[in-house]
Amino acid sequence: MNVFLSYTVIGVTLGAIYAITATGLVVTYTTTGVFNFAHGAVGMVAAFSFYQLWQAWHWPLLVALAVVLLVEAPILAVLVETVLMRRLHGASTERSLMVTLGLLVILVGLATAVWNPLTSRTVPPFFGTDSVRVLGVYVSAQQILTVVVVVLMAVALRWFFRTFRVGVAMRAVVDDPDLVAMAGAKPYRVAQMGWMLGFFLAALAGCLLAPTVATTGLNISQLTLLVVNGYAAAVVGRLRSVPLTVVGGIVLGLVTEYCVGYLPTAHLSQNLIAVIPEVVPVIFLFVVLLVIPAARLVAAGRLPRHAAPRVPGPARSWVGAAVLVLLAVAVSPLLGGIALATVATGLALGIVGVSLVLLTGYAGQVSLCQLTFLGVGAFTMGKISGGGGWLGLVAAVGVSGAVGALVALPTLRLRGLYLALATLAFGEAAYYAFFSNPSFFPGYGGNITVRRLALPGAQSVGDRVELVEIAVALALCAVAVLAVRRSRFGRRLVALNDSPAAFATLGMNARAVKVAVFALSAAMAGLGGCLYAGEQGAISANDVLFFSSLTLLLFVAIWGMRTVTGGILGGLTAAALPVAATHLPHALTDLSGLVAGVGIVLLSRNPDGVLGLPALTGLLRRTWGAAPSGDATGEPALGATQGAVGAAG
Amino acid sequence: MPPGNRPSERHRVRSVPPAEPAARASGERGEPALEARGVSVRFGGVAALTDVSLAAHPGQVTGLIGPNGAGKTTLFNVITGLQRPDHGRVTIAGRDVTGLGPHRRARLGLARTFQRLELFGTLSAAENVRVGLEARGSRRSTAGARSGLPSGAAALLERVGVPGAPDAPAASLPTGSARLVELARALAIDPGVLLLDEPCSGLDDHETAALGKLLGELASEGRAVLLVEHDMDLVLQICDLVYVLDFGEIIASGTPDQVRNDPAVQSAYLGRVERSDERAGPVSP
Ligand SMILES: Nc1ncnc2c1ncn2[C@@H]1O[C@H](COP(=O)(O)OP(=O)(O)OP(=O)(O)O)[C@@H](O)[C@H]1O
Ligand SMILES: [Mg+2]
């Protein structure tokens, strides 16, 4: 009994922190319509600042807390709202989602620069280690404080939403921003309040969490990914209801702790037991996703303001593919060592980038775990005769496609945001339970060896030959993606993205299309994984980090999400920047993250990224005349200049 | 509508029982192609629809008019499956579809256009229509495919009167043309029931007249056309039967003449018709 109570106490405390995180997410989402992926990152920055003020600079506890919660968080919120979010008004969900992802990587990049991750930092409990005995179990002052805080938060929010005009307006925005605008409340004031409240709650959760991770110390990525647990709790309230969200948080905390306490450990491998706290929230999340009601299709009356880049016809895409391969052949003798390896890796990541163009650029579905599919593909390839075989390649493509379909299935009934969040959660679960698990990735560093793809008749594949091999694969993928886009299926993808309501009222089944494109994209990422791992010689958990998936996605978006050229350049950039960072001072360790974050924020108003910048498209048109053939695939994103360019193909 | 919300409307008497629309002068009707019975929808405190019943018959243009906010679009959403009603049933060609999703209903031959445009902006005008044509290809032919329509995208666009190049990106079209593209796209699935939500806003007089003629032709091919339109002249001119919706309730129905002379309709409309076009068109940036 005492053991049960102890787990309950820990579970409730943990759940209370989840509840605060989740409530912050919900408050921001319902008031602004933006799901803040950077929510956990805000909590992370708060926790580190709190450490800095209280522990490093020895400020009094309450002063440190007050500065973090009442000064830093609101200022950050106002900055984010005015600088980043306000200009996104009326933008697609997918774009505002990208900007919060950009904010996430910026905050992580800055934190990495300020607080060297190699130093260990711990925050003690706020009021010492005192505890009281209740019903035979010890309850610490910190635990009591946490629970009191969550109760206060729930009461205060309820009062705020019922009492104040802005509170009432904030509730209304949930249902219909247009109505609020008509009723006279100023939406941006409401949005500002929403961001401030959200950031405050994120910071509160961060500060309360800091002492609980005393054994491992503050960890940037762990705190940042708290958003996953918060999301799992928030889904219980369908991202809307605060009371249900609080309940969801507490239940999640309890379930996690009871699993830690009572799962029949004898039947589980030691490696799995160690990751229960990370994996349980994800399982919880998928279960909840399966039972919450389907989203309503809304005829929102949207028309994209930017015409899409034109899609090259078959002839031009083959010419582009040939150019790409010829470039690889021409460049390979000039490169050596790291440069050669980086380009090869970049082209392999380019395959993943092109798969993102298909999924996110055309179909508007966001995947935050594309490198997980890369890892699944590489693992499959490595398991079948040690990699290198064509059978392994085919199996890898099949397995990663199937895994992709499985991830997409639970969220099909739901809006795109839920899919993005499910991929994030899936990526995390796979990272802990699979890729970091010595049962699957044995040996020192947890590597699975993957040999280069064998060529018929050749004994071995040299570095330069391999570069060309990858370039050919990439070129074929690019041609395939363009062919898909021009096909009937491609038209459906785009149509579904542009107007789900019209899509359905024409008699087409959105779910079938969504699962098909997700599987196709994951399969392509798996193919990229085979070549990527062949180039690296192995695959390990370090290749499938969430942050790498995220920066790759952002780089593709920065170059241009709706052109395969953007996918290729995104892959190359994702490979090049980490290499460049090794030559830079320590503060720039996370160069990729900083560049990706700042880039996406700067380009947030241009959905077609760098390749779609009017200056660039104008220049290309002048240079190439009326019939541009552009770079790699011959599609210099001309269409971004409104309406001027019509004829496709 | 919660009682007391609008005192002046509370005790209004229905002029014509809505479930029994006046028969068309010309005679007998078969089974309605589309029927809504006792549909009610509430949005929080707002009763958008209260016990609404209506039927649309093949070969007829049925009008649905009412002031802004009367609930016309909400009824379209209920019929097409985009909005789940709190009460009431919807049948298409005698089949109860209340529990079906939008795409299943479309496969039974139900198509619509949107008041706030829902074009596939990334695609060209012709491609928009093509998506519809391809959607038709993938379903079993509906009860009595109606023919009379061209089977190519360009020809369909021409039929509805879209001026200019079919290859222009849909996002760059002016509102009027964009509405016609939506109409062509809806026709592409060869629907037995066609719902049009303010198709004339954004069209000039000439285009409006042409559209009116087209709707008559579509009906004479055996389709049931349900038209929401603020252009009263057009409605009274081309509709066989008109329903009047006000604050979520059918307050009158009958032939254009009956409706025109109905005192309840006149009071509902007094001074309100002018605001018609405000909310039409795509949301401006
Ligand atoms: N999703 C929604 N949430 C809340 N209220 C809604 C929603 N959709 C419609 N309403 C309300 O329901 C009522 C009916 O709206 P509806 O759009 O159906 O009217 P309408 O007759 O089409 O008007 P209009 O002529 O302006 O197009 C209005 O009061 C409107 O504000
Ligand atoms: Mg309407």
Side-chain angles (χ1 to χ4, degrees):
Chain A
M1 192 59 194
N2 275 359
V3 177
F4 177 78
L5 279 181
S6 306
Y7 280 119
T8 307
V9 169
I10 303 175
V12 167
T13 318
L14 185 68
I17 297 175
Y18 290 163
I20 297 171
T21 309
T23 304
L25 272 174
V26 168
V27 166
T28 313
Y29 180 62
T30 52
T31 50
T32 65
V34 177
F35 186 90
N36 184 13
F37 273 91
H39 195 74
V42 173
M44 176 272 294
V45 168
F48 275 88
S49 320
F50 176 52
Y51 161 86
Q52 190 69 28
L53 299 181
W54 188 30
Q55 292 300 306
W57 293 346
H58 304 293
W59 290 22
L61 168 69
L62 290 180
V63 176
L65 268 181
V67 168
V68 170
L69 297 181
L70 302 177
V71 180
E72 187 190 21
I75 289 182
L76 205 54
V78 171
L79 256 178
V80 165
E81 200 276 326
T82 40
V83 178
L84 304 186
M85 298 302 164
R86 201 175 293 174
R87 3 187 262 159
L88 283 179
H89 188 75
S92 65
T93 342
E94 175 210 320
R95 207 118 51 78
S96 51
L97 196 149
M98 289 288 179
V99 170
T100 66
L101 290 172
L103 178 63
L104 186 163
V105 289
I106 290 178
L107 290 177
V108 168
L110 289 178
T112 312
V114 176
W115 294 285
N116 185 342
L118 299 178
T119 315
S120 158
R121 297 179 183 80
T122 55
V123 176
F126 294 179
F127 308 112
T129 48
D130 290 349
S131 58
V132 290
R133 237 180 110 99
V134 183
L135 295 173
V137 290
Y138 287 99
V139 182
S140 72
Q142 186 73 25
Q143 289 171 326
I144 294 173
L145 174 79
T146 307
V147 173
V148 168
V149 165
V150 79
V151 171
L152 283 180
M153 174 198 77
V155 173
L157 277 181
R158 194 172 176 79
W159 171 74
F160 175 76
F161 278 126
R162 310 249 153 196
T163 313
F164 288 103
R165 248 180 75 83
V166 62
V168 175
M170 280 168 75
R171 277 199 305 164
V173 181
V174 189
D175 298 321
D176 189 347
D178 291 342
L179 283 184
V180 181
M182 275 189 282
K186 299 193 189 88
Y188 81 88
R189 279 277 319 266
V190 171
Q192 212 164 51
M193 285 301 292
W195 284 106
M196 281 176 22
L197 208 49
F199 273 42
F200 169 80
L201 291 172
L204 185 62
C207 293
L208 285 173
L209 198 69
T212 67
V213 292
T215 44
T216 50
L218 297 182
N219 178 313
I220 291 180
S221 74
Q222 193 189 349
L223 286 168
T224 301
L225 287 167
L226 186 65
V227 74
V228 177
N229 299 353
Y231 164 56
V235 165
V236 174
R238 298 178 64 192
L239 303 184
R240 277 206 303 261
S241 154
V242 170
L244 280 179
T245 298
V246 172
V247 172
I250 307 270
V251 170
L252 175 58
L254 284 173
V255 169
T256 308
E257 285 309 316
Y258 290 149
C259 284
V260 170
Y262 292 106
L263 273 189
T265 45
H267 301 294
L268 289 177
S269 81
Q270 209 50 45
N271 307 317
L272 272 181
I273 292 166
V275 297
I276 285 176
E278 279 80 18
V279 174
V280 168
V282 177
I283 295 173
F284 180 89
L285 167 68
F286 274 94
V287 171
V288 178
L289 283 179
L290 282 173
V291 297
I292 61 173
R296 206 162 66 79
L297 275 179
V298 183
R302 282 162 288 119
L303 254 193
R305 263 177 283 152
H306 294 261
R310 63 196 271 176
V311 185
R316 282 209 359 228
S317 42
W318 281 110
V319 169
V323 169
L324 177 67
V325 173
L326 288 178
L327 266 177
V329 171
V331 163
S332 63
L334 309 176
L335 299 175
I338 292 181
L340 187 65
T342 306
V343 172
T345 307
L347 292 177
L349 287 177
I351 297 178
V352 184
V354 168
S355 79
L356 283 169
V357 169
L358 176 67
L359 182 70
T360 312
Y362 295 159
Q365 311 283 318
V366 175
S367 161
L368 298 175
C369 67
Q370 210 66 359
L371 291 185
T372 306
F373 299 133
L374 169 142
V376 169
F379 173 82
T380 313
M381 173 101 163
K383 276 291 165 188
I384 295 182
S385 64
W390 287 80
L391 180 65
L393 189 80
V394 172
V397 170
V399 170
S400 41
V403 172
L406 279 180
V407 177
L409 274 174
T411 62
L412 283 183
R413 304 168 303 121
L414 308 168
R415 268 166 298 137
L417 172 64
Y418 286 89
L419 176 62
L421 289 159
T423 59
L424 166 56
F426 170 75
E428 277 313 285
Y431 175 81
Y432 285 111
F434 182 66
F435 291 101
S436 308
N437 190 335
S439 320
F440 301 106
F441 288 76
Y444 179 75
N447 279 321
I448 290 276
T449 309
V450 181
R451 287 199 308 272
R452 294 175 177 180
L453 187 63
L455 292 174
Q459 275 299 315
S460 66
V461 179
D463 289 350
R464 302 212 154 80
V465 175
E466 193 209 16
L467 179 78
V468 176
E469 185 182 280
I470 298 176
V472 169
L474 171 59
L476 290 177
C477 284
V479 169
V481 164
L482 288 172
V484 167
R485 169 64 183 82
R486 287 189 309 264
S487 72
R488 176 173 123 162
F489 178 65
R491 273 188 294 280
R492 287 195 174 184
L493 287 184
V494 177
L496 178 58
N497 188 18
D498 283 348
S499 169
F503 186 89
T505 54
L506 286 175
M508 295 176 289
N509 187 347
R511 293 178 194 176
V513 172
K514 279 193 205 165
V515 86
V517 70
F518 208 83
L520 200 59
S521 167
M524 192 173 283
L527 172 70
C530 295
L531 295 160
Y532 172 89
E535 156 60 28
Q536 309 272 312
I539 186 85
S540 75
N542 280 333
D543 298 310
V544 301
L545 294 175
F546 161 66
F547 288 101
S548 313
S549 281
L550 178 53
T551 42
L552 175 61
L553 174 71
L554 292 178
F555 283 131
V556 175
I558 287 170
W559 282 110
M561 201 78 199
R562 295 198 283 185
T563 59
V564 294
T565 314
I568 296 170
L569 292 175
L572 284 168
T573 313
L577 284 185
V579 176
T582 56
H583 301 288
L584 295 172
H586 158 74
L588 291 172
T589 313
D590 190 22
L591 182 69
S592 298
L594 287 171
V595 173
V598 172
I600 198 73
V601 163
L602 287 178
L603 285 164
S604 65
R605 274 146 71 114
N606 193 324
D608 287 308
V610 172
L611 294 174
L613 286 176
L616 185 65
T617 50
L619 179 75
L620 284 171
R621 198 155 7 144
R622 278 195 301 282
T623 320
W624 294 92
S629 64
D631 41 11
T633 50
E635 54 161 31
L638 274 176
T641 23
Q642 272 279 7
V645 190
Chain B
M1 175 179 54
N5 233 10
R6 291 207 26 218
S8 62
E9 309 293 336
R10 210 187 313 164
H11 303 293
R12 194 168 46 209
V13 190
R14 285 179 182 148
S15 339
V16 180
E20 296 167 36
R24 197 185 178 186
S26 58
E28 103 289 20
R29 303 190 317 268
E31 187 183 42
L34 166 73
E35 197 175 6
R37 261 178 287 132
V39 170
S40 301
V41 173
R42 294 187 71 89
F43 294 114
V46 183
L49 292 174
T50 311
D51 195 22
V52 170
S53 298
L54 139 171
H57 291 267
Q60 294 194 341
V61 179
T62 308
L64 176 62
I65 60 173
N68 290 123
K72 306 178 294 292
T73 300
T74 305
L75 183 58
F76 270 23
N77 288 343
V78 169
I79 293 171
T80 49
L82 296 179
Q83 170 73 49
R84 193 182 295 268
D86 300 329
H87 300 285
R89 315 221 58 90
V90 177
T91 54
I92 296 172
R95 172 160 177 202
D96 191 321
V97 297
T98 318
L100 297 187
H103 71 279
R104 304 278 302 281
R105 299 183 194 205
R107 288 177 191 174
L108 293 171
L110 174 72
R112 72 172 287 180
T113 66
F114 294 86
Q115 179 182 3
R116 295 160 89 184
L117 290 170
E118 290 281 337
L119 274 180
F120 305 136
T122 310
L123 300 174
S124 71
E127 282 175 315
N128 266 271
V129 181
R130 226 174 133 186
V131 170
L133 287 168
E134 288 162 351
R136 163 169 60 175
S138 68
R139 75 179 145 96
R140 288 176 290 117
S141 78
T142 48
R146 261 139 295 260
S147 81
L149 285 174
S151 58
L156 259 175
L157 284 170
E158 204 178 304
R159 174 86 200 268
V160 301
V162 178
D167 288 334
S172 68
L173 292 173
T175 311
S177 314
R179 283 192 190 290
L180 294 177
V181 173
E182 273 208 359
L183 173 58
R185 185 181 67 185
L187 287 176
I189 69 169
D190 192 17
V193 183
L194 179 62
L195 313 186
L196 301 168
D197 202 345
E198 306 199 9
C200 296
S201 60
L203 299 186
D204 63 27
D205 290 349
H206 180 70
E207 291 167 323
T208 303
L211 182 68
K213 185 165 157 285
L214 174 67
L215 296 186
E217 290 166 15
L218 291 172
S220 66
E221 286 165 11
R223 297 169 216 281
V225 178
L226 182 58
L227 171 69
V228 164
E229 186 48 62
H230 282 293
D231 184 334
M232 209 53 67
D233 293 340
L234 180 80
V235 171
L236 297 179
Q237 186 195 329
I238 69 167
C239 290
D240 300 286
L241 181 66
V242 178
Y243 289 87
V244 186
L245 200 59
D246 189 26
F247 283 94
E249 295 185 62
I250 301 274
I251 57 164
S253 68
T255 62
D257 281 334
Q258 287 171 329
V259 164
R260 196 192 332 250
N261 299 322
D262 191 299
V265 176
Q266 287 169 352
S267 91
Y269 262 90
L270 216 56
R272 291 203 246 160
V273 188
E274 282 69 38
R275 304 197 318 235
S276 59
D277 280 1
E278 269 165 30
R279 298 209 286 158
V283 257
S284 47

